[in-house]
Amino acid sequence: MKQWGSEMSSSSKEAILAAARRTAQAHGYSGLNFRDLAEEVGIKAASIYHHFPSKADLGAAVARRYWEDSAAALEALLAESSDPVRCLRQYPDTFRKALESDNRMCLCSFMAAEYDDLPEPVKKEVQIFADVNVAWLSKMLSAAKLVSSKKSEQRARAIFAAVAGAQLMARSRSDIALYDALIDSYRLAGLLPA
């Protein structure tokens, strides 16, 4: 019986994280509300406190899971194709997926916009998301020999900021075609490989 209880507890925690991710991608950290999440998951609000003693704990866990999933997706992209140029071409698709899902945003980009109001543990996880993306992009840029290793991090930051900005603009108009057009313009300008 104990094992069933821990499985139930684990599945509740996963359901809470999934619901919190959807909410934060649509409404940011400020949109996380234990009562609403409990209703969505079909549990009592007090049950969320069993897994996440505070909103800060939940926000940090959601952001951590998001960057871990993002890092895994980037590594999977590399595993599918050892060609760094191809990986760089496909990178914007990782942000496009959020827009395809009910015009959602990258969770950590949304939270970064709320940075001044975030608890320290959440800020840390949001920063790690950016660091993971920039490090991966820098690695791909160097491997593709598109820029010198000294300039790869600077270029990686520009790509990350540009792609996140394109997502923000497209979301504000509920227009994925705008996102695609912006990404194409980055390719034409030479920021991303064509």
Side-chain angles (χ1 to χ4, degrees), residues 113-169:
E114 303 173 289
Y115 194 78
D116 290 343
D117 298 323
L118 296 178
E120 284 303 318
V122 181
K123 286 180 179 180
K124 178 184 168 212
E125 301 301 335
V126 169
Q127 290 169 346
I128 292 171
F129 174 80
D131 294 344
V132 162
N133 277 268
V134 169
W136 185 87
L137 286 164
S138 182
K139 181 175 145 183
M140 293 303 101
L141 289 163
S142 292
K145 297 184 180 13
L146 294 175
V147 293
S148 70
S149 58
K150 286 184 179 181
K151 294 192 177 205
S152 66
E153 185 175 339
Q154 180 182 7
R155 174 83 166 268
R157 287 184 188 283
I159 291 170
F160 175 70
V163 171
Q167 185 188 53
L168 182 62
M169 284 188 69

Side-chain angles (χ1 to χ4, degrees), residues 26-49:
H27 306 288
Y29 177 78
S30 64
L32 293 176
N33 176 297
F34 279 31
R35 191 174 312 127
D36 294 342
L37 289 171
E39 187 176 314
E40 183 178 338
V41 174
I43 60 176
K44 294 180 180 179
S47 298
I48 294 178
Y49 288 99

Side-chain angles (χ1 to χ4, degrees), residues 92 95-96 99-100 103 162-187 192:
F95 282 75
R96 190 179 197 281
L99 291 169
E100 291 170 351
N103 197 38
V163 171
Q167 185 188 53
L168 182 62
M169 284 188 69
R171 183 175 194 265
S172 72
R173 290 167 175 75
S174 295
D175 186 0
I176 291 179
L178 175 58
Y179 179 80
D180 294 338
L182 288 165
I183 297 303
D184 287 344
S185 72
Y186 299 158
R187 289 183 174 123
L192 285 167

